[in-house]
Amino acid sequence: MLELLDYDFMRRALVAAVLTGLTAPAIGTYLVQRRLALLGDGIGHIALTGVALGLLTGFAPILTAVVVAALGAVVIELLRVYSRTSGDVALALLFYGGIAGGVLLLNLAGGSASTLNNYLFGAITTVSDGDLTLVAGLTVLVLVLAVGLAPQLFAVCQDEEHARVSGVPVRFYGLLIAVLAAVTVTVAMRTVGLLLVSALMVVPVATAQQLTRSFRVTFALAMAIGTVAAVAGVGTSFYADTQPGPTIVVLALAAFAVTAPVGAILHARRRRPRGGPPVPTAGPADSTVVP
Amino acid sequence: MTAADAAPPVRLVDVTVQLGGRPVVRGVDLTVGAGEFVALLGTNGSGKSTLMRAAVGLLPLAGGTAQLFGSPVDRFRAWERLGYVPQRSTAVSGVPSTVGEVALSGTLSRRRVVGLARRDDRRAAMEALDRVGLADRARDAVTELSGGQQQRVMIARALAGRCDLLVMDEPTAGVDQESQLVLADLFRGLVSEGRSVWLVAHELGPLAALVDRAVVLRDGSVVHDGPYEHAIGAPHAHDHPHGDEPARPGAIGTHGAWGSAT
C-alpha cells in the first residue's frame, strides 16, 4: 500500500511536504491576524524574479529567491507603514513587476515553459537532497522565531498601538513578520508553487478557526491541518497522477468546506446575537494586501 | 513608591502637536498627579485624542515637552507603569483569541526574558479580568462578548501590567450601562489605591461624580482646567441640540460659552 515510500523522490517529497505544511500556516496565522492574508501571494510574485535571477546567474534558485523575496517583503512592509494612500497601487506595481520580470528573466536564462510551471505550481517530486537541506534549515528558522517570539508577534498583530505603548519595537516585528513570510514562501515554493503558496498559509488557518476560540489552539491546529493536507496531497497525487501542489491546496480547501458548516453552528451557539463570518478565505490574486 | 516618584505621572508643558502639517494641539499644559482622576473633554476635532496619543509617545511633538513619571516620553522606558487603552470599538482581530489571551498580552511590558509569561503574569492578567468583572469569561473568545465587555477586556489588558497610570482614549464610547457602572467602580478603586486615571471622553455619565479635574479642549487649546461641575454643558460632541443645558446660565459663566458644537 505504501509503495510510494519505495521511491527516493517520494520520500524527499513527503519530508518537504511536512516542512511546508508546518511552516506555512505558522506564519500564516500571524498574517491572518494582522489582516494581511494575501501578503504571501504578493511575495510569491516577487520571489519569481529571485528564482529567475538564480537560473540566470547559476546560484541556487532557492537562495536567490529567499533574498529577493525578503527584500520585496521589506519594501512592502515599509510601504504599508509609511504610505497611507498610495501604498495600494505601489504594491500592485511591485507584484506585477515581480512576476513579469521573473518570466522575462527566465526566458533570457533559457528556461522552458515547464521550468516556469515548476516554480509557479510546485514540483515537489524534483526536490533534491540539497534543496531539502536548505528547506529544512529555513523551516527551523521560521518555526523557532514564530513560536519563540509568539507573545510579541501576537501583541503586534493584535493591536499595534497597544504594543507600542507596551514598549514593543513594533516596526522591527512588522519587518520580521514580513521577512519570515518571505522565507516561508521560498520554503513552500517547491511544494505548492509560488502561485499557491498563499493558500497553504491561509486556508489551514481559516479552517482551524472554524473550530477554535483561542489563538494558541488556532496556531497549533492550523499547523496540524497544513501538515496533513500537504502529506495527503503528495500521497494522493502519487496515486491519482495529479500535480502535487494543486492537489494539496484542493485538499486543504476541502477540509475548509467540511469544517465551515460545523464552525457556523459552533459560533452561533457560543456567540451572542451579533457577529458575522469570522474570516475570509484566500481570494483572487489581484486583491489588495492592505486592508 | 520611591522618592523618584515625586514627579507626576503625566506632565505636559506647552505641548503642540501637528497632524499633516496642521497644528491640532496648541500650547497645552496638563498635569495628572499621583492618585488623580482627570477627564479630558471636548468636541470632535478639539484635539483631545491627538494630545493623549502624543503624551504616550504615539505621535511626535511639534513643540513643548511631555513627561511620563519624570522622563521625557521619547526616553521613557518604564512601560510597565503605564497602561494604555487605544481608541477602538473592539478587541477583535483576524484570528480568534480568548479574553484571557488578550489580557495576558498586557503583561508583556513586565516580562524580561524574551517575553515569556511567568506564573505571576498569568495571575496579574486574571486579577485584571476580575477587576473588570470578566474573570469567568477568560476562556471565551473575545468575539462572543458584547461591545461594552470587549472594551472592558481592553481595560483589563492595560491593567494587567499592574500600572500606576491608566490612560484611556474614549473607554466609555458606546459602552452599555452595566459596563459603565463596572468601570466607575473600577476607577474609584484604582484612585483609592493611589493610582492615576486619565481618560478622554465625550460624556462622563456615571463617572462624572468621580473625576478630580476636567480639562476641556477647544480647537487644540485648554479652555477649562478645574472641577467638572464648572464644565457642565461643554463636552457634548454630538450634533443634536442640547436645548436645556446651555440655558443654565451659571454653568457657562466664567469660562465662556465653549459649549457650542462645531
Side-chain angles (χ1 to χ4, degrees):
Chain A
M1 179 198 150
L2 286 177
E3 59 183 287
L4 78 173
L5 291 179
D6 295 341
Y7 300 93
D8 264 355
F9 71 91
M10 282 312 290
R11 283 202 294 270
R12 283 196 295 269
L14 286 170
V15 172
V18 169
L19 297 175
T20 313
L22 283 174
T23 318
I27 198 71
T29 308
Y30 294 113
L31 295 182
V32 173
Q33 192 191 11
R34 263 193 134 187
R35 302 189 190 281
L36 291 175
L38 292 172
L39 181 67
D41 200 60
I43 296 175
H45 284 52
I46 297 168
L48 189 65
T49 295
V51 169
L53 279 176
L55 293 174
L56 201 59
T57 56
F59 285 102
I62 291 189
L63 274 184
T64 49
V66 166
V67 172
V68 172
L71 284 175
V74 167
V75 173
I76 291 172
E77 175 66 12
L78 293 176
L79 281 173
R80 202 182 73 79
V81 171
Y82 290 105
S83 74
R84 292 262 164 237
T85 45
S86 59
D88 205 27
V89 173
L91 291 178
L93 296 176
L94 208 57
F95 294 177
Y96 304 121
I99 205 152
V103 173
L104 276 181
L105 290 175
L106 265 174
N107 291 345
L108 291 179
S112 62
S114 77
T115 314
L116 180 63
N117 197 32
N118 283 350
Y119 286 101
L120 289 183
F121 298 104
I124 196 168
T125 49
T126 66
V127 171
S128 68
D129 278 332
D131 290 341
L132 211 52
T133 313
L134 206 51
V135 164
L138 295 174
T139 299
V140 170
L141 175 78
V142 172
L143 287 181
V144 164
L145 292 174
V147 174
L149 294 174
Q152 286 88 341
L153 296 178
F154 173 83
V156 168
C157 296
Q158 178 80 15
D159 186 339
E160 243 180 76
E161 291 212 333
H162 179 266
R164 272 178 74 182
V165 179
S166 299
V168 177
V170 167
R171 297 253 162 86
F172 169 76
Y173 283 111
L175 287 171
L176 181 68
I177 290 170
V179 169
L180 288 181
V183 173
T184 307
V185 163
T186 326
V187 167
M189 174 173 80
R190 299 306 302 267
T191 315
V192 289
L194 292 172
L195 287 187
L196 291 173
V197 159
S198 202
L200 203 53
M201 294 170 113
V202 173
V203 177
V205 182
T207 307
Q209 60 181 297
Q210 298 303 313
L211 311 173
T212 58
R213 308 168 103 176
S214 78
F215 181 85
R216 183 194 284 254
V217 176
T218 309
F219 187 82
L221 187 58
M223 286 167 72
I225 292 170
T227 308
V228 170
V231 170
V234 169
T236 306
S237 73
F238 178 78
Y239 292 107
D241 197 20
T242 52
Q243 241 181 310
T247 312
I248 291 168
V249 173
V250 167
L251 280 180
L253 284 168
F256 176 80
V258 170
T259 49
V262 181
I265 294 167
L266 281 177
H267 283 284
R269 204 178 281 175
R270 286 169 181 167
R271 203 180 288 208
R272 306 272 159 95
R274 51 192 298 285
V279 109
T281 53
D286 60 347
S287 302
T288 57
V289 165
V290 177
Chain B
M1 296 252 160
T2 60
D5 291 324
V10 179
R11 186 186 183 92
L12 309 178
V13 180
D14 197 22
V15 163
T16 296
V17 188
Q18 297 189 340
L19 290 182
R22 199 174 59 89
V24 175
V25 171
R26 311 151 194 256
V28 167
D29 295 335
L30 192 153
T31 301
V32 180
E36 230 184 347
F37 185 169
V38 176
L40 183 58
L41 308 170
T43 56
N44 281 335
S46 59
K48 53 194 191 310
S49 278
T50 304
L51 176 63
M52 179 170 273
R53 288 161 55 79
V56 297
L58 286 173
L59 291 174
L61 301 183
T65 56
Q67 292 187 336
L68 295 171
F69 299 100
S71 308
V73 65
D74 51 344
R75 273 186 273 142
F76 181 69
R77 291 295 173 267
W79 296 108
E80 69 281 355
R81 302 192 67 182
L82 167 65
Y84 176 62
V85 179
Q87 178 179 28
R88 210 168 52 155
S89 55
T90 82
V92 178
S93 71
V95 171
S97 43
T98 62
V99 170
E101 284 177 324
V102 173
L104 186 63
S105 75
T107 63
L108 201 55
S109 54
R110 315 168 45 204
R111 303 185 206 164
R112 292 290 168 255
V113 188
V114 287
L116 225 64
R118 298 157 300 180
R119 188 178 303 163
D120 187 49
D121 295 323
R122 298 182 190 285
R123 194 181 310 132
M126 280 311 289
E127 279 169 16
L129 282 175
D130 193 42
R131 293 196 80 152
V132 300
L134 291 173
D136 57 327
R137 306 295 303 267
R139 288 171 179 279
D140 290 356
V142 174
T143 46
E144 293 162 30
L145 272 53
S146 73
Q149 288 169 330
Q150 289 184 14
Q151 190 67 42
R152 278 148 65 189
V153 173
M154 290 170 63
I155 293 171
R157 179 179 65 182
L159 288 174
R162 297 195 178 122
C163 53
D164 297 319
L165 165 68
L166 183 60
V167 176
M168 294 169 288
D169 199 345
E170 305 221 21
T172 55
V175 165
D176 54 275
Q177 186 69 16
E178 182 213 328
S179 289
Q180 291 216 15
L181 293 173
V182 171
L183 293 185
D185 264 359
L186 168 69
F187 300 154
R188 188 181 295 119
L190 290 175
V191 169
S192 74
E193 293 162 16
R195 308 205 223 180
S196 312
V197 178
W198 181 29
L199 59 79
V200 157
H202 275 164
E203 290 179 82
L204 286 177
L207 303 180
L210 299 175
V211 300
D212 293 307
R213 268 167 46 229
V215 176
V216 182
L217 285 190
R218 193 176 62 183
D219 291 337
S221 300
V222 175
V223 290
H224 172 82
D225 187 343
Y228 175 68
E229 303 81 70
H230 297 285
I232 290 174
H236 295 276
H238 311 290
D239 280 328
H240 61 81
H242 294 277
D244 51 344
E245 280 160 357
R248 293 158 63 187
I252 301 170
T254 51
H255 301 289
W258 31 268
S260 53
T262 45

